[in-house]
Amino acid sequence: MNALLLAGGLGTRLRPLTEHMPKPMALVANRPWLEHLVIQLKDQGIRDFVMAVKHYPEQIRNYFGDGGKWGVSIRYAVEPTLRGTAGAIKNAEPLLDDRFLVVNADIVHEIDLLRLLEYHVQHGGKVTIGLTEVDDPTQYGVVEQDGSGRILRFVEKPRLEEAPSRRINAGIYLMEKDVLRHIPDHREVSIERETFPLLIERNVGVYGKVVTGYWMDMGTKERYRRIHWDLLNRTCRLPIPGQESGSGIWVGEDCRIGPGVLLVPPVLIGNRVDIGERSIVGPFAVIGDDCTIGRYVRCSETIMWDRCKVNDAIHLNNCIFGYGLELGSKQILHEAVMNRMEAMQA
Ligand code: GTP
């Protein structure tokens, strides 16, 4: 069984961070999310990956190559035009095994593949959709199932009192390859809006199983931040790179922490980070590799990717900065989300 990772979307809701990069390459705890995902699936026995790519595909290809560095095989299905979540699967058809796993590559989740697979084999249908339960289902496609777990229908954005359940599509599927004949070729097709309703109507056997453990999609800036705070406070148990040097303080290699610096947990500092005297970093700060933070800086609830430079006496709260951003002195920034291009224009 191989795994198809859907990584070709435009990531519009996470702009400007995703303006010039694929969303699944956004850093999560200082490492591209897609890399966490490959490692996690490898740990569960997947060795053969296909990445469905379209938006800046060369960034993913350059980073992962043939996967050898991670001890896996990675091949690429590049879409000539954006094909949507089902069209991307159809486009990858020649590279897929008879049974395969599909994962939306922007979902942060501690996948328990074995349980999903056991259920899939046991019900004998063609598709198993991983489901997650949400408090407020009114913004999602909600499933109605029978006692065996078979999905009877999706109800799009129901009013609370009309929602048949609180279970929604978690963006993780097991599929038998012969269902791909139900997906039209060479055009954009949405798996949620078109393919699943069609497969249910044609009675091919679409089942749903609630996936337990942490689940969050990184599609919006709020949720992208939330994932980091959940990682730092260990609500999400995915591994955090770096050495935990005190409770809730992770510091990478070769850092220089100046005199009088206060690291307020939870905080994650990458490798080769330089922090000037009397700065206060945290709580809830993630500082990427090779960042330089000046003196008297205050930085809380902020995520900074690699190579950022923050000059003296800047106050940052609730910000997200892309690679290599440089900030002048004595600014106060609250809720700023910027990449380098934007900062140069400002
Ligand atoms: P927004 O523009 O913010 O909605 O993001 P998105 O379209 O990138 O993500 P969405 O949540 O709609 O898609 C879920 C997953 O499917 C993400 O990992 C996307 O990268 C991926 N995806 C969405 N559309 C396509 C597509 O046309 N081709 C491929 N290969 N992947 C896609």
Side-chain angles (χ1 to χ4, degrees), residues 221-229 303 318 320 337:
K221 292 158 193 110
E222 292 68 34
R223 291 202 291 267
Y224 178 73
R225 284 193 191 97
R226 181 78 251 161
I227 286 163
H228 282 85
W229 311 156
I303 301 157
N318 223 349
I320 311 175
V337 180

Side-chain angles (χ1 to χ4, degrees), residues 1-266:
M1 186 177 87
N2 58 1
L4 175 66
L5 308 184
L6 297 181
L10 298 178
T12 48
R13 290 165 299 160
L14 211 52
R15 285 180 184 162
L17 297 169
T18 46
E19 200 88 59
H20 305 288
M21 70 182 291
K23 177 170 54 171
M25 290 301 280
L27 298 188
V28 168
N30 291 343
R31 176 188 274 174
W33 169 248
L34 202 50
E35 186 177 354
H36 287 280
L37 185 59
V38 167
I39 293 169
Q40 194 195 148
L41 289 172
K42 184 197 166 192
D43 288 347
Q44 304 217 18
I46 301 276
R47 288 288 182 275
D48 183 10
F49 290 83
V50 180
M51 296 203 185
V53 291
K54 167 67 183 125
H55 182 58
Y56 290 95
E58 68 287 353
Q59 290 189 21
I60 295 182
R61 213 190 260 273
N62 291 344
Y63 192 85
F64 289 99
D66 64 3
K69 187 173 160 196
W70 290 264
V72 298
S73 150
I74 299 180
R75 289 173 296 163
Y76 299 87
V78 186
E79 287 143 61
T81 54
L82 212 59
R83 289 287 159 83
T85 39
I89 303 176
K90 184 72 179 175
N91 185 61
E93 188 170 6
L95 304 179
L96 297 172
D97 290 344
D98 288 344
R99 176 178 292 155
F100 57 93
L101 171 75
V102 180
V103 183
N104 283 359
D106 63 342
I107 300 293
V108 175
H109 172 51
E110 298 160 76
I111 298 175
D112 184 350
L113 193 52
L114 194 61
R115 278 185 61 194
L116 206 61
L117 186 59
E118 277 170 0
Y119 177 68
H120 184 76
V121 171
Q122 173 217 319
H123 67 61
K126 298 288 184 191
V127 178
T128 301
I129 304 178
L131 304 173
T132 185
E133 291 197 321
V134 291
D135 291 335
D136 176 10
T138 57
Q139 295 307 309
Y140 299 94
V142 181
V143 297
E144 182 176 343
Q145 294 172 277
D146 70 11
S148 70
R150 196 182 183 103
I151 297 181
L152 305 173
R153 61 181 181 132
F154 279 89
V155 185
E156 275 305 314
K157 300 189 176 156
R159 296 217 312 250
L160 200 53
E161 58 279 16
E162 286 162 3
S165 73
R166 290 192 296 114
R167 293 186 290 274
I168 64 162
N169 175 355
I172 299 161
Y173 324 116
L174 281 169
M175 290 185 153
E176 301 298 311
K177 195 172 185 178
D178 52 0
V179 295
L180 297 187
R181 67 193 155 86
H182 299 280
I183 303 177
D185 230 337
H186 306 302
R187 72 164 170 90
E188 193 171 341
V189 189
S190 156
I191 203 161
E192 302 85 356
R193 287 190 295 280
E194 199 171 333
T195 305
F196 286 151
L198 184 79
L199 295 179
I200 291 166
E201 190 188 306
R202 293 187 179 165
N203 218 10
V204 305
V206 178
Y207 289 75
K209 168 126 184 104
V210 173
V211 293
T212 49
Y214 188 83
W215 182 95
M216 183 84 64
D217 85 88
M218 63 159 86
T220 66
K221 292 158 193 110
E222 292 68 34
R223 291 202 291 267
Y224 178 73
R225 284 193 191 97
R226 181 78 251 161
I227 286 163
H228 282 85
W229 311 156
D230 289 344
L231 270 165
L232 290 181
N233 67 26
R234 304 314 283 145
T235 311
C236 173
R237 305 291 309 175
L238 288 166
I240 293 181
Q243 197 69 32
E244 192 176 3
S245 63
S247 75
I249 300 177
W250 288 264
V251 179
E253 292 167 5
D254 301 325
C255 292
R256 200 194 66 83
I257 312 286
V261 167
L262 212 53
L263 299 180
V264 185

